[in-house]
Amino acid sequence: MYLEAPRDTLPKCVEASCNNQFKTTAMIKFCQLPRFLILSVLVVLLQLQCINWVSLKATEKSFAVCSQDRGDENLFRAIQLIDRSMATYFADEELKMYRFYNPFSQTRSEETASVWMYSSAIEAVNAVLNGLQAQQKRGDTRLYNAYYGRYVELIAKLYTNAAYYLGTFTLTSFTQHKEWTVYAVDRSKEKGKANVEGIFNVYDDQMWLVKELLETYHLTGKENYLKEAEYLTAYILDGWDCTLDEQGKEHGGIPWGPGYVTKHACSNAPIISPLVTLHEIYKNKSDQITKHYISTKDKLTRLSKIELKSDFYLHYAQRIYEWQKDNLLNDNGVYADMMGDCSPACSIAYEMVQGKQYRKNTVLNKAVGTAFSYNCGTMLSAAADLYRVTKSEKYLVEGKTLADASFNYFGKLGQQIPGYYSYANDGFNNWFNGVLLKGFSSIYPLYGKATLFMDSFQKNLDYGYANFLVDGLLPADLLAGWPADKNKCNLEAMFMFAYATQYAVLAQTDMTRPKIAASSNRSISGQ
């Protein structure tokens, strides 16, 4: 297991030697000092390093001996991956996140992470906090006492510095003309000054943040997280295409962003589970909200009315779920990327109604694009959550069917190693696959077979951890390891946080199952 050492107390050449990766020039400069001084410094530094290492190893050994629970080991590894990633990819007190790092050359790219990538760190910390709370509730407080307080502070700091992605603009939507303060794709040099006009903000980025804000609200009970989650949700739902067809039915669907017309799986399904969560928060309460819609009489007039929040959020969750299922579910039983093939053109159009301008519908003729694993993961979680609050069997049946189809489509048995399932890891697929795992974990309480699907992720993570862990980091390909050309080993920051999230999700699942001796050889045969 990797243990983060206090590197800030070590000269660069000694730090490198600890990793068996000497930086020759630094070593030469150090070694040009008088011999007695070199020996004295090295003795002191090595004593400090060894004391620290022995202490940390003793802590780890004590933890391992005391715990034979897979959940404990998974959670501990998630913590280690997060701590190493925070030290590697983030800079200064403003938490500027860099996109790539090469553990072999020990170089970090100058490219700054997008807000979506940044939110992966928030997701990982939330996942660990959930796991720590679960451990504490069952009477095991070792990791909780050591990490919970620090991680609550870290999550607050991450949200505070997410403001570097915030910006303000005015949007003409399907029903109104309004100013919004939302998250940009790219980071600004000043808080609140990011460019969010047009294509520079997208709805799915807001959705991932809404989900995490609600998670943090449940973990901490702090109302500011709920308030921001609801504000961003209002912005997202303002993007819902409520224009009507000739039969008076809503066209439905949310475009990728206010600057786009195509309607993506990723700009619809991720908000369903948060909407269910908001429904549960306001269930049996009298809180109200304004709904904007279009008159069915003339199919043009923009109207509004007051609804109970609990009803409002649930109805939108159900409508978005049905829109995605009706439009994007393909013949393989998984979800296509988006509704596209625009007609007459893929450009935003507007219409004047009673002297006011509104966005109008753009015709999208068919589902197009690659089926990505995360678009099934979000719909799996949606089906499980909608079943929980409605008890409608349709969601349970559809969830089970999608779980089977997703595993069969995305998991390739024996493609790289006999007995292991390979998942695509090019592009952003490592993060996408983590969302699929979360979908499996959501349906698992209702569908025991999903444990077999989750075990495929467990085996892959453990294989990579046992064979390819370098400088506390895991490669993009957990089964094949690092590229032979070490200049091509630039690792995405969000992949490390995705691995940490996966370990934490598996930890929470294992805490609900009978205790299992720590082993990476759990069988998923019989598929």
Side-chain angles (χ1 to χ4, degrees):
M1 283 186 170
Y2 179 85
L3 292 166
E4 186 70 13
R7 296 172 176 236
D8 57 338
T9 64
L10 301 177
K12 284 291 183 183
C13 61
V14 178
E15 174 188 316
S17 69
C18 294
N19 296 315
N20 295 319
Q21 297 171 358
F22 285 92
K23 292 184 177 177
T24 305
T25 54
M27 183 175 68
I28 290 173
K29 288 181 181 179
F30 179 70
C31 294
Q32 286 174 345
L33 295 171
R35 183 174 297 179
F36 76 91
L37 185 57
I38 293 173
L39 292 173
S40 299
V41 171
L42 284 175
V43 167
V44 172
L45 289 172
L46 289 172
Q47 284 178 334
L48 289 171
Q49 178 75 353
C50 290
I51 290 170
N52 179 56
W53 183 85
V54 169
S55 175
L56 288 169
K57 288 297 288 183
T59 300
E60 179 185 344
K61 182 177 179 182
S62 172
F63 175 78
V65 168
C66 292
S67 173
Q68 293 300 311
D69 191 314
R70 164 65 75 180
D72 291 346
E73 181 179 83
N74 282 339
L75 191 56
F76 193 44
R77 287 184 174 181
I79 290 167
Q80 290 180 306
L81 291 173
I82 291 173
D83 285 352
R84 185 70 186 105
S85 299
M86 291 300 302
T88 300
Y89 292 102
F90 282 82
D92 59 48
E93 287 300 305
E94 296 174 350
L95 290 188
K96 184 177 182 180
M97 179 178 173
Y98 293 92
R99 183 173 173 182
F100 295 105
Y101 178 77
N102 187 322
F104 295 93
S105 64
Q106 296 187 329
T107 55
R108 186 169 62 190
S109 73
E110 290 302 313
E111 182 180 355
T112 306
S114 69
V115 73
W116 169 44
M117 298 168 185
Y118 185 92
S119 70
S120 70
I122 297 174
E123 176 188 33
V125 175
N126 266 338
V128 164
L129 286 170
N130 270 309
L132 291 171
Q133 276 197 357
Q135 275 197 335
Q136 185 213 30
K137 288 177 181 178
R138 66 176 190 169
D140 185 349
T141 61
R142 290 166 298 160
L143 288 178
Y144 181 92
N145 292 339
Y147 292 100
Y148 191 82
R150 177 160 68 86
Y151 270 41
V152 168
E153 292 179 3
L154 175 58
I155 201 79
K157 192 173 181 181
L158 284 165
Y159 282 123
T160 297
N161 288 285
Y164 283 98
Y165 294 93
L166 279 174
T168 301
F169 81 124
T170 300
L171 174 65
T172 298
S173 70
F174 296 102
T175 61
Q176 60 182 337
H177 189 73
K178 184 175 180 178
E179 184 179 86
W180 297 97
T181 298
V182 297
Y183 289 90
V185 173
D186 299 315
R187 191 181 194 272
S188 175
K189 292 181 180 179
E190 295 181 63
K191 289 182 178 180
K193 300 296 184 180
N195 181 6
V196 292
E197 294 283 347
I199 64 171
F200 294 103
N201 89 84
V202 288
Y203 289 120
D204 59 320
D205 286 353
Q206 323 302 321
M207 293 178 185
W208 304 120
L209 284 163
V210 168
K211 181 182 182 303
E212 298 312 321
L213 284 162
L214 290 173
E215 287 284 343
T216 311
Y217 166 68
H218 280 303
L219 286 162
T220 66
K222 294 183 178 180
E223 291 290 329
N224 59 302
Y225 295 123
L226 174 61
K227 183 178 180 180
E228 185 173 9
E230 287 199 84
Y231 177 84
L232 291 176
T233 298
Y235 171 66
I236 292 162
L237 296 181
D238 188 50
W240 174 259
D241 185 353
C242 59
T243 60
L244 305 175
D245 62 19
E246 293 180 357
Q247 287 72 45
K249 180 182 177 183
E250 283 186 333
H251 287 108
I254 301 171
W256 189 17
Y260 298 89
V261 297
T262 50
K263 297 171 181 175
H264 294 235
C266 73
S267 59
N268 284 273
I271 195 61
I272 300 172
S273 288
L275 286 168
V276 174
T277 299
L278 287 168
H279 158 73
E280 291 177 299
I281 290 171
Y282 288 105
K283 187 177 180 180
N284 299 322
K285 295 181 180 179
S286 59
D287 299 69
Q288 296 179 323
I289 194 169
T290 300
K291 176 184 176 180
H292 297 276
Y293 65 104
I294 295 175
S295 170
T296 56
K297 293 181 180 180
D298 62 10
K299 303 181 181 64
L300 289 173
T301 302
R302 271 56 180 182
L303 301 171
S304 65
K305 63 180 179 180
I306 301 299
E307 290 188 352
L308 288 174
K309 282 187 175 183
S310 58
D311 295 338
F312 174 86
Y313 289 130
L314 180 57
H315 290 162
Y316 263 109
Q318 293 173 311
R319 289 153 73 189
I320 295 170
Y321 178 92
E322 292 303 324
W323 179 89
Q324 179 134 326
K325 182 169 64 71
D326 292 344
N327 289 278
L328 296 178
L329 190 63
N330 67 22
D331 292 339
N332 293 310
V334 294
Y335 284 88
D337 187 33
M338 63 179 176
M339 282 296 294
D341 188 22
C342 316
S343 177
C346 286
S347 56
I348 297 174
Y350 297 93
E351 59 185 355
M352 296 296 296
V353 179
Q354 298 170 359
K356 294 183 180 179
Q357 186 182 61
Y358 300 101
R359 181 168 175 171
K360 66 183 296 186
N361 172 257
T362 297
V363 176
L364 304 174
N365 293 299
K366 63 182 179 181
V368 298
T370 302
F372 293 109
S373 57
Y374 73 146
N375 292 326
C376 291
T378 50
M379 285 296 281
L380 272 171
S381 295
D385 291 336
L386 285 168
Y387 174 74
R388 185 181 68 252
V389 297
T390 68
K391 301 306 178 187
S392 172
E393 286 292 322
K394 74 180 292 292
Y395 296 121
L396 180 57
V397 172
E398 290 168 0
K400 290 179 178 180
T401 301
L402 179 59
D404 289 339
S406 300
F407 185 65
N408 292 334
Y409 186 85
F410 295 108
K412 309 298 182 185
L413 179 62
Q415 189 176 71
Q416 291 174 282
I417 299 175
Y420 287 77
Y421 284 84
S422 296
Y423 294 86
N425 56 61
D426 58 323
F428 295 108
N429 275 297
N430 271 318
W431 187 84
F432 293 165
N433 297 335
V435 180
L436 178 60
L437 171 62
K438 294 175 86 170
F440 288 147
S441 71
S442 295
I443 201 73
Y444 150 69
L446 307 167
Y447 190 41
K449 188 180 178 182
T451 60
L452 304 176
F453 309 156
M454 290 185 287
D455 284 345
S456 68
F457 285 84
Q458 180 78 64
K459 288 185 66 175
N460 291 358
L461 283 167
D462 289 347
Y463 188 90
Y465 207 99
N467 294 284
F468 302 121
L469 190 71
V470 173
D471 199 20
L473 304 174
L474 292 170
D477 192 329
L478 294 170
L479 299 183
W482 301 94
D485 184 349
K486 300 311 177 192
N487 292 318
K488 297 181 179 179
C489 292
N490 286 335
L491 182 67
E492 289 268 8
M494 73 184 308
F495 290 178
M496 286 302 302
F497 289 112
Y499 293 148
T501 298
Q502 288 175 39
Y503 262 129
V505 168
L506 290 165
Q508 293 174 61
T509 303
D510 279 325
M511 289 177 200
T512 67
R513 293 197 275 181
K515 287 195 174 183
I516 311 168
S519 168
S520 62
N521 296 316
R522 288 194 280 180
S523 173
I524 51 174
S525 60
Q527 293 304 298

